[in-house]
Amino acid sequence: MAAPMLRRVSRGRWLGTPGQSGVLPLGLRKAHSGAQGLLAVQKARGLFKEFFPERGTKTELPELFDRGLAGNVPQTIYCGFDPTADSLHVGHLLALLGLFHFQRAGHNVIALVGGATARLGDPSGRTKEREALDAERVQSNALALRQGLQALAANHQQLFTNGRSWGSFTVLDNSAWYQKQHLVDFLATVGGHFRMGTLLSRLSVQSRLKSPEGMSLAEFLYQVLQAYDFYYLFQHYGCRVQLGGADQLGNIMSGYEFIHKVTGEDVFGISVPLITSTTGAKLGKSAGNAVWLNREKTSPFELYQFFVRLQDNLVERYLKLFTFLPLPEIDHIMQLHVKEPEKRGPQKRLAAEVTKLVHGQEGLDSAKRWCTQALYHSSIDALEVMSDQELKELFKEASFSELVLDPGTSVLDTCRKANAIPDGPRGYRMITEGGVSINHRQVTNPESVLVVGQHILKNGLSLLKIGKRNFYIIKWLQL
């Protein structure tokens, strides 16, 4: 296989109009061309944190976007997602929302799944090496991530339209170009453009080299491959901006330096903040505190509740970060909250917006209308319209049984077949002493025969509760 071709290209640049003064450094937000500029708005919301490079380029970053649209030339922005798990999580949402905001402004965005780079493991922000994943596992995870990204993009397109012309949303996988590469050819062609001193100076590398475990060659080369991803997308898609978490700035800098050295062109990086737990730990799979976006791992109800339980001192910031709501509307929501904090209005609005984006209208309805009623208000009507999957999601720790309804089946028979009570007198007393309920209704007669519509809901399910916290879901067969 031929070595990768590295080409110096000359792309058109936007030049100022005669007499126009130069743009001030990006670090001074007032340099932007008006309060409604895309970058200024997202900086004000807190979604865009750092920019690289901030100064010294022939075309400034705000200029690239504002004049690009004025000249009818949309830009292309990408963000990478490594398939180290089979689902995205809440920690990925801010980068995705960054892409969506660019798309809504008429620019084209690329979500890049790292089907190749996941085999190496990104060392950024980590104190030890990731657990190695075999090729088959990475391939399976990559497929799941591509499907998840496409579902999120579809929800965004269908449920959050704003009447403007949007750019495209494309999902790619970097294994498409790396599987064509030969190692020696790649190192000979690409490796010569990287300096060891620069690579070693990155904070992610320094911290790992000083750790007891050290750093593997595979991890060390990760930034080289991420830089090449940027170069590949620049060459084939005209991508000039990479979006990433705050811990990705070193990798983004490697991409900038590589592209500038090979082509003479300027590219840019934008970082988004990292979402942390109340203890300050980064939310994610490695930290063991991930809130997943796949409903099989975190149900719509659980996702909804994650945001409903948010502390008051965080909710305004999260409304700005995780929603498309205009800032004046967020201000209004917070003013109402000051008057009636017990209603948790901002938290509920935040939870609704995020759940709708992730799971669609059906997922939001399931979480907000039915699940909340079923769990907190003991609503039998809510239970009756739920599927067995939704019940399992809501009562995640519940035992699930499929039973045949024999004629004359009693409350005692049901509890024993579901292994909900012990055999003998003790189990019998648990019922007579009021420790058992079916579908939120207490039952005290062990010999009562089950009645369809009372003990068995219209959907063929029964929710059995023993004590205060032990739930059992029963799906009745052959009704």
Side-chain angles (χ1 to χ4, degrees), residues 78 138 140 214 217 223 244 254 276 291 298 364 370 385 391 420 428 463:
Y78 100 94
V138 170
S140 174
L217 177 62
Q223 60 180 310
S254 293
T276 59
V291 179
T298 298
L364 174 59
W370 297 120
V385 300
L391 266 180
Y428 196 92
L463 180 65

Side-chain angles (χ1 to χ4, degrees), residues 132-420:
L133 299 175
D134 59 50
E136 185 177 346
R137 176 75 176 276
V138 170
Q139 186 177 11
S140 174
N141 288 350
L143 174 60
L145 254 61
R146 292 196 299 271
Q147 292 172 340
L149 287 163
Q150 288 161 352
L152 280 158
N155 288 340
H156 175 226
Q157 187 82 37
Q158 294 166 10
L159 301 172
F160 294 89
T161 55
N162 58 3
R164 299 176 60 182
S165 178
W166 288 8
S168 63
F169 186 98
T170 304
V171 180
L172 300 175
D173 190 323
N174 64 12
S175 64
W177 49 87
Y178 285 117
Q179 65 186 1
K180 300 175 184 177
Q181 302 284 3
H182 282 239
L183 176 62
V184 174
D185 290 338
F186 181 82
L187 290 176
T189 308
V190 176
H193 294 278
F194 291 87
R195 303 270 70 85
M196 285 295 297
T198 305
L199 296 178
L200 287 167
S201 70
R202 303 295 186 218
L203 183 62
S204 60
V205 174
Q206 285 291 312
S207 60
R208 288 296 304 279
L209 289 176
K210 294 175 182 177
S211 69
E213 188 175 310
M215 188 180 199
S216 70
L217 177 62
E219 288 182 295
F220 180 70
L221 290 175
Y222 184 93
Q223 60 180 310
V224 174
L225 268 66
Q226 184 167 330
Y228 185 78
D229 285 341
F230 200 174
Y231 169 81
Y232 184 93
L233 296 176
F234 174 74
Q235 290 288 358
H236 292 82
Y237 295 88
C239 178
R240 296 188 67 173
V241 180
Q242 181 181 173
L243 198 65
D247 57 353
Q248 290 294 309
L249 202 56
N251 293 340
I252 294 173
M253 289 168 65
S254 293
Y256 164 81
E257 291 162 358
F258 176 50
I259 293 170
H260 189 70
K261 185 178 292 186
V262 172
T263 70
E265 293 287 309
D266 290 319
V267 292
F268 301 89
I270 302 175
S271 70
V272 298
L274 299 176
I275 297 301
T276 59
S277 67
T278 53
T279 62
K282 176 183 173 182
L283 287 182
K285 175 180 70 71
S286 302
N289 56 7
V291 179
W292 302 100
L293 306 188
N294 183 326
R295 70 181 297 159
E296 294 179 4
K297 298 169 79 75
T298 298
S299 71
F301 174 76
E302 290 173 308
L303 179 68
Y304 184 86
Q305 288 300 312
F306 172 79
F307 288 100
V308 164
R309 292 194 296 263
L310 201 65
Q311 300 164 261
D312 280 352
N313 63 340
L314 291 176
V315 69
E316 182 176 7
R317 176 174 177 250
Y318 276 39
L319 279 168
K320 294 175 181 178
L321 292 175
F322 285 98
T323 78
F324 302 111
L325 299 176
L327 292 180
E329 185 174 350
I330 293 174
D331 289 340
H332 179 65
I333 290 170
M334 295 309 300
Q335 288 169 11
L336 294 177
H337 182 58
V338 172
K339 298 176 183 177
E340 298 178 301
E342 71 281 357
K343 291 187 175 181
R344 301 185 72 77
Q347 285 90 342
K348 290 178 181 177
R349 184 62 183 277
L350 171 65
E353 293 291 314
V354 175
T355 305
K356 184 166 68 170
L357 176 63
V358 174
H359 294 296
Q361 191 63 50
E362 178 276 329
L364 174 59
D365 290 343
S366 172
K368 183 180 177 182
R369 186 171 64 208
W370 297 120
C371 294
T372 304
Q373 289 292 320
L375 187 61
Y376 293 122
H377 303 293
S378 301
S379 169
I380 294 176
D381 291 338
L383 290 176
E384 284 194 319
V385 300
M386 294 175 70
S387 66
D388 52 339
Q389 179 190 4
E390 288 175 323
L391 266 180
K392 289 179 187 177
E393 291 174 351
L394 179 59
F395 300 96
K396 212 167 184 73
E397 303 302 320
S399 172
F400 181 80
S401 303
E402 292 185 334
L403 302 178
V404 175
L405 182 63
D406 296 320
T409 298
S410 67
V411 170
L412 181 63
D413 296 332
T414 302
C415 291
R416 285 179 173 168
K417 287 180 180 179
N419 295 316

Side-chain angles (χ1 to χ4, degrees), residues 105-153:
H107 300 287
N108 301 318
V109 298
I110 297 171
L112 180 65
V113 176
T117 43
R119 297 287 306 280
L120 303 184
D122 184 2
S124 302
R126 296 184 58 84
T127 57
K128 61 181 180 179
E129 190 169 5
R130 290 182 184 273
E131 181 182 349
L133 299 175
D134 59 50
E136 185 177 346
R137 176 75 176 276
V138 170
Q139 186 177 11
S140 174
N141 288 350
L143 174 60
L145 254 61
R146 292 196 299 271
Q147 292 172 340
L149 287 163
Q150 288 161 352
L152 280 158

